[in-house]
Amino acid sequence: MTERDDNICFFQQIFHLNSNQRFGVNHQSRRGYAGIKNLIHLFIFIIALTCGCIFPVCADPLRLAILEFQIRSADPMFLNTGKGIAEMFATEFAYSPEIEVVERQERNRVFQELGINPSGAKDITNLLQAGQRLETQYLVAGDAVIARDSITLHVSVIETGTGVVVFQYETKKALEQYAFALTTCAVQLFQFFGADVPDNLNMRYHNPREKPVEFLVMFSDAIDAMDRNDPAAARNELMNARTLDPGDETVNAYLSKLVLNPAKFEIVIPPYFPATNPAQLGIIPFDAMYLRSLLARTPEHREGIPFEADIRVAIGYQTPLAENFGIGVELAGNSFNDLLDGATDEDEAEAGRGHFMGIFSFGWAPSDTLSLGLSLSLIPQYIMEYNSIAHTTVTNILTGGFGGAVSIGLLIKNPESSLIYDVLAGFPFDTRTRINETTMELYRVQAPVFLGNSLVVALFDHTFFFVLKQINDIYYDRLEWNSSLVVGIEYWPVFWLGIQAAAETNFAMADSQTRWGAGSKAGFTIRIPGTGWGGWDITLDCALRQRSSRIVADAMVYEIVPSFSISKTGSFGSRPSLRIREQPNLRR
């Protein structure tokens, strides 16, 4: 460790700590205890191997909260670097199973409840109270002196239970070696806690490299933009910082963590339900508004071949109302026109419907990895049916009252949102019109129950997605079941362009007979940057598939489905933890 100079650390001035409080831990006894603990773990692991039951053995990780660094610099360019330095420092501990760092959003939420300014001078009593709420053993605070060509970092570790500063370390490096200075401080903390230094951190420690100062400024300004609820500026700063260092773990972590799995891959689902699983509303970081439309029709219209066409348009808005709760409203219009020609020119049956729906969705996330959702649909309808053989006239029927549907969703993901699995189950209270191809008579059946599963895997910093979707229409009043399996990929070679492609297989069972169909889909998304969190996303795609007929129970039809959607995120609302405003800072 280096010796302190004659100047008293600013951090000490804030907390009014004396030299007798700085070193309250026996370093050798801590390291000895850690060594004995590791030997015990090794012994237990050997026994498990002998028994043929291999399982990991580890203690609960040490939990830390890293505070924003206090900055002393005459250059206003470094105004926000205390935020960036703290987040870069936290990343140094990301690969250690022995140390857990409190997420910045969780820390800011507690600070906000206690009225603590994350960037300003802090009262030790409030800080210790925050540490106890966060269930941390230690708080890590620091300050940085930034000169024209050098940076001096000072890090202090405070024991949450006692308020005693148990460890301090200071290092001075060339300004372009600020990242190496953080790595050096992190290695010292690992050694102090008796924890193993991760391989990637050890490699950076023994192979230091310089980093552009502009990177630190851009990343810090991005964090500040998030605090000011300016997602457009945050995204732009992060992308600019990434161009200076594409492999930086902190920037890539924020890009992947704050833009929740931005895959634009979609498939056609029954019209009674929302386009996205309502469980996603519990974890969305920012609001979103969207417009979706599709035109689906069968290419053939001849004797014995059903002709089916539909148009769907939906507009919606979603927003988080709390840290783990969000709502969505969607207004949709659907028009269906189904036709079947018989053996003669006079034989014809036709069925048409129009839906005007309001869909209200709610999502709640009890944890960072689990979210639940509920959607309610209200459906006034317009129904038209025509049968030429029975010489009936066209009848227009407005169903009495409202039809409806209920859907429930479940979403499970990992903390990095690189693996997301969701389930949506929907129950419509409606009927479908069918045509008997022999007698051309019209009859109605209950609309099927919907069950959909989706798995999305994000790779290469959320630029490549593997998508697996499986959907089912299950008729509970008859022996009939339709199922589809879609395997797709999505790739973003550049920030503003995404490409999608998929293959589809369809299975249908009715009256103990089975039929198979296949299909494919291709499309692209254009992102207009700089106009929001991710900007405007415009998606165009087209699918060609063979599916089970809507109006004839034992027929398969070919269908062409072009679709269009446009969406914008981060316009009005965000999670409360992303809305923390900067309070006046008297030190600046």
Side-chain angles (χ1 to χ4, degrees), residues 526-544:
I526 295 177
R527 176 167 292 162
I528 305 175
T531 56
W533 188 261
W536 289 92
D537 286 350
I538 302 173
T539 301
L540 293 169
D541 59 47
C542 186
L544 175 62

Side-chain angles (χ1 to χ4, degrees), residues 9-89:
C9 172
F10 179 80
F11 170 76
Q12 295 174 8
Q13 295 177 5
I14 296 175
F15 292 99
H16 309 290
L17 299 171
N18 57 55
S19 58
N20 294 327
Q21 292 177 299
R22 298 178 191 168
F23 305 101
V25 172
N26 187 321
H27 297 228
Q28 297 299 327
S29 63
R30 178 178 288 278
R31 293 192 182 97
Y33 171 74
I36 293 173
K37 183 174 65 174
N38 290 337
L39 287 176
I40 294 174
H41 289 172
L42 179 61
F43 179 72
I44 295 174
F45 185 67
I46 292 174
I47 294 176
L49 285 175
T50 305
C51 299
C53 303
I54 302 176
F55 58 89
V57 180
C58 59
D60 291 335
L62 193 68
R63 188 169 167 88
L64 310 176
I66 297 178
L67 311 181
E68 290 185 7
F69 277 51
Q70 304 298 315
I71 301 298
R72 287 186 286 171
S73 175
D75 192 337
M77 178 177 69
F78 298 107
L79 182 68
N80 300 316
T81 50
K83 302 179 180 185
I85 289 176
E87 296 311 301
M88 294 176 67
F89 192 46

